[in-house]
Amino acid sequence: MIGDKIRELREANNILLRQLAATLEMDTAMLSKMERGDRYFRKEDIVALSKIFKQPQKDLLTLWLADKVLKTIENEEHKKQALELALKTLK
Amino acid sequence: MIGDKIRELREANNILLRQLAATLEMDTAMLSKMERGDRYFRKEDIVALSKIFKQPQKDLLTLWLADKVLKTIENEEHKKQALELALKTLK
DNA sequence: AGTGACTTGACAAATTTTGGACAATATAGA
DNA sequence: TCTATATTGTCCAAAATTTGTCAAGTCACT
């Protein structure tokens, strides 16, 4: 999800995976995994990426956090109810 | 949240912390922390507790999972948007 | 002061997550 | 086919998180 977004931005800007990886000072394989959702971006990288691609930090961070939430509940039952309950609690 | 619920049930049934801890085969201190939200219940314990207190598994598991979700997002910004996004993605 | 119930903090042990390296493979274009 | 790019899997060590145990502490009551 956040990975798709980053890939989209990267391709729209004609930047190669290895170029972006170099900018973020990470291994190309790692960035590939991150874009595909195999691994998680670190929060600092998301912040850096929002600057690189001139996107509102909030948007990317929200995507990133939603991914994390989805990961915590994957493989569980009653996901929807739990999310709704969590949301209700928050408000 | 799930902890409050368990404590409520335990007290309504006049069971001592150490008695319930013994039933669940855990340290009293651990159960105390769990009820107070300091530590997490294991899923199996929630299942066991729903039997002990004759509660629908679903209800307790939902509470338990909502807690986990809230924990993953605590200390983050844009919690609400992220939860809403996650919920939307799920549907 | 003594007792029972519960809480708390410190700590080590166990487990999970993470970041990164590397190699093999795939894919597309010249 | 050769080359550049990207993907995928596996391995490793470091870091972080979780878990369990224990001792000491509080609190309320008698």
Side-chain angles (χ1 to χ4, degrees):
Chain A
M1 196 168 186
I2 178 67
D4 296 332
K5 181 69 181 174
I6 298 303
R7 173 152 299 184
E8 206 179 278
L9 288 167
R10 179 174 62 79
E11 291 179 342
N13 285 272
N14 272 306
I15 299 175
L16 295 178
L17 198 53
R18 72 175 156 71
Q19 293 173 324
L20 187 55
T23 304
L24 297 174
E25 294 179 298
M26 64 171 70
D27 192 274
T28 306
M30 198 61 36
L31 183 55
S32 169
K33 286 175 188 174
M34 286 171 169
E35 285 191 351
R36 284 177 312 97
D38 237 47
R39 285 296 180 91
Y40 270 83
F41 284 95
R42 288 177 310 163
K43 196 175 176 184
E44 315 93 81
D45 291 330
I46 296 298
V47 172
L49 286 164
S50 73
K51 283 186 188 114
I52 292 170
F53 294 123
K54 301 191 185 359
Q55 298 289 307
Q57 258 194 39
K58 180 182 169 180
D59 293 3
L60 296 189
L61 284 175
T62 299
L63 267 174
W64 171 79
L65 189 54
D67 265 13
K68 271 180 108 169
V69 168
L70 288 169
K71 191 184 175 199
T72 31
I73 62 177
E74 76 182 351
N75 309 322
E76 294 289 351
E77 314 116 272
H78 321 307
K79 292 189 241 260
K80 227 180 86 194
Q81 290 97 323
L83 273 192
E84 276 159 0
L85 181 52
L87 193 51
K88 210 177 107 196
T89 306
L90 212 60
K91 293 189 187 173
Chain B
M1 194 172 190
I2 177 66
D4 295 332
K5 181 69 182 175
I6 299 302
R7 172 149 299 185
E8 205 179 279
L9 288 167
R10 179 173 63 78
E11 291 179 341
N13 285 272
N14 272 304
I15 299 175
L16 295 180
L17 199 52
R18 73 177 151 72
Q19 293 174 323
L20 187 55
T23 304
L24 297 173
E25 292 179 298
M26 64 169 71
D27 194 277
T28 305
M30 198 61 36
L31 183 56
S32 167
K33 285 173 189 172
M34 286 172 171
E35 285 191 352
R36 309 179 43 68
D38 237 48
R39 293 289 179 96
Y40 268 84
F41 284 95
R42 288 177 312 160
K43 194 175 177 185
E44 314 93 80
D45 289 331
I46 296 298
V47 172
L49 287 164
S50 73
K51 284 186 188 113
I52 291 170
F53 293 123
K54 300 190 187 358
Q55 298 289 307
Q57 258 194 40
K58 180 182 169 179
D59 293 2
L60 297 189
L61 283 175
T62 299
L63 267 175
W64 171 79
L65 189 53
D67 265 13
K68 269 180 107 169
V69 168
L70 289 169
K71 192 183 175 198
T72 27
I73 61 177
E74 75 182 352
N75 309 321
E76 294 290 350
E77 315 116 274
H78 321 307
K79 291 189 242 259
K80 225 180 90 193
Q81 290 97 324
L83 272 193
E84 275 159 2
L85 182 52
L87 194 51
K88 209 176 107 198
T89 306
L90 211 63
K91 293 189 186 173

